[in-house]
Amino acid sequence: MKIKSYFQFTNEQRRGVLSLLLLIVIIQLSYFYWSSSKSTSPSNSNKSWLAMQSVIDSLKISQSSSEGKIYPFNPNFITDYKGYQLGMSLTEINKLFEFRKQNKYVNSALEFQQVTGVSDSLLLAISPYFKFPDWVNQPKKAFSSFDKNTYENKKSIIRKDINEATQDDLIKIYGIGPALSERILKQKDVLGGFVTMEQMESIWGLSPEVIENLNKYFQVTTIPTVNKIDINNLSVKELAKFPYFNYTIAKEIVTYRSMNNGIHSIEDLTKIKGMPNEKIKIIALYLEF
């Protein structure tokens, strides 16, 4: 009788139990609906990541498509890493470096192979991307037979002052195109003018043949008023901008002048480590001691 009494409820108790069960069902249904709606609608942070996914995918595609792509380059200035990327061996790269140390340049794919010793298959793969200076690709003019008239024409050539030359004047010289003519004029502007035709040898891209042609038609008639630099007061950064110096030489200049109470003559310049002494007389004309 006692056990049975535990399972007997009054009407009020039954209504309470039913209400409790109904409340539990409502809570379960509410939780199920809330969790499902949360999983289907992403949060603001998730929306941001989803928006970025398309950008990430496009970058991956762009990166994969650019892998292995070779851009035109001058083979004379291949670095260790560039040579490795192209498939050159260390021996082949070193052969090119030794050749360049002699201040020589390769001017064709065949000459590149002769210097480095690369295989025919590698040369065939990389040579279409070789880019040489303009004057290398210009066909050489055939020499006409010597006659008296030609000799007389050469005698009548009037050389123009290089400091008064325009771009049109320079382009008329065989071997000089727009790029080289702009380089010559830019060097002249930086220096304030050329003091000797020997300075043409310091302009990158001018071959000995082109320099010879320049000397036929141009000269330095009068020494211009050049842009002199104050070697005793300029900073390393400012000195390094001078075409005949670089950052290393500029540091040596500052070190020397601080230890010797300044630089006062060409003789002092020759004592500076790294100074290009073969050009010292030209350099001195642009300095203010």
Side-chain angles (χ1 to χ4, degrees), residues 20-270:
L20 180 61
L21 290 174
L22 182 61
L23 180 61
I24 292 172
V25 170
I26 291 172
I27 292 173
Q28 289 289 338
L29 290 175
S30 300
Y31 176 77
F32 175 77
Y33 175 78
W34 176 80
S35 61
S36 62
S37 63
K38 183 179 180 180
S39 61
T40 55
S41 59
S43 63
N44 290 335
S45 61
N46 289 337
K47 287 180 181 178
S48 300
W49 280 109
L50 289 172
M52 288 296 296
Q53 187 62 44
S54 61
V55 179
I56 295 172
D57 292 341
S58 64
L59 290 174
K60 286 182 178 179
I61 294 172
S62 175
Q63 182 179 3
S64 62
S65 63
S66 63
E67 288 180 355
K69 188 173 182 180
I70 304 177
Y71 295 94
F73 63 94
N74 189 331
N76 287 292
F77 303 104
I78 290 176
T79 61
D80 288 327
Y81 180 68
K82 181 69 173 180
Y84 171 77
Q85 283 185 314
L86 295 173
M88 295 175 65
S89 67
L90 183 60
T91 302
E92 292 166 347
I93 297 172
N94 286 336
K95 286 181 180 179
L96 179 63
F97 289 166
E98 290 299 323
F99 182 77
R100 287 290 294 111
K101 284 181 181 178
Q102 303 173 41
N103 201 26
K104 295 180 180 179
Y105 297 86
V106 295
N107 295 320
S108 67
L110 179 60
E111 191 174 357
F112 177 81
Q113 185 181 37
Q114 291 172 345
V115 171
T116 61
V118 297
S119 63
D120 292 339
S121 58
L122 180 58
L123 183 69
L124 184 64
I126 65 177
S127 59
Y129 301 99
F130 287 177
K131 181 177 177 60
F132 296 102
D134 296 338
W135 62 266
V136 172
N137 299 318
Q138 291 178 354
K140 292 186 177 180
K141 295 179 181 179
F143 289 100
S144 58
S145 58
F146 174 81
D147 56 34
K148 186 177 179 180
N149 291 332
T150 302
Y151 178 73
E152 292 297 329
N153 288 335
K154 287 186 177 180
K155 285 180 62 178
S156 62
I157 292 177
I158 299 176
R159 292 194 295 173
K160 188 174 183 179
D161 192 336
I162 187 67
N163 290 305
E164 297 178 359
T166 64
Q167 187 171 25
D168 291 336
D169 294 332
L170 294 171
I171 291 177
K172 291 177 183 178
I173 304 300
Y174 172 71
I176 295 183
L180 286 177
S181 60
E182 287 180 7
R183 196 173 299 159
I184 293 171
L185 294 175
K186 183 177 180 181
Q187 184 83 325
K188 183 190 72 174
D189 291 340
V190 171
L191 296 171
F194 297 114
V195 294
T196 173
M197 290 299 293
E198 292 179 20
Q199 292 174 275
M200 299 299 107
E201 298 174 5
S202 302
I203 300 177
W204 183 84
L206 296 184
S207 68
E209 182 183 18
V210 173
I211 293 174
E212 184 180 352
N213 289 336
L214 277 169
N215 285 320
K216 290 178 183 178
Y217 295 94
F218 295 98
Q219 63 182 348
V220 177
T221 305
T222 56
I223 301 298
T225 304
V226 298
N227 299 327
K228 291 196 173 186
I229 64 172
D230 188 353
I231 195 170
N232 286 303
N233 291 300
L234 293 182
S235 65
V236 172
K237 186 175 180 181
E238 290 170 326
L239 287 170
K241 294 178 181 179
F242 183 56
Y244 291 99
F245 297 157
N246 54 36
Y247 188 78
T248 303
I249 295 176
K251 285 180 65 178
E252 293 292 338
I253 290 172
V254 173
T255 301
Y256 181 89
R257 77 190 188 194
S258 62
M259 296 177 65
N260 296 274
N261 196 27
I263 299 170
H264 306 289
S265 64
I266 294 180
E267 186 179 353
D268 289 341
L269 289 177
T270 61

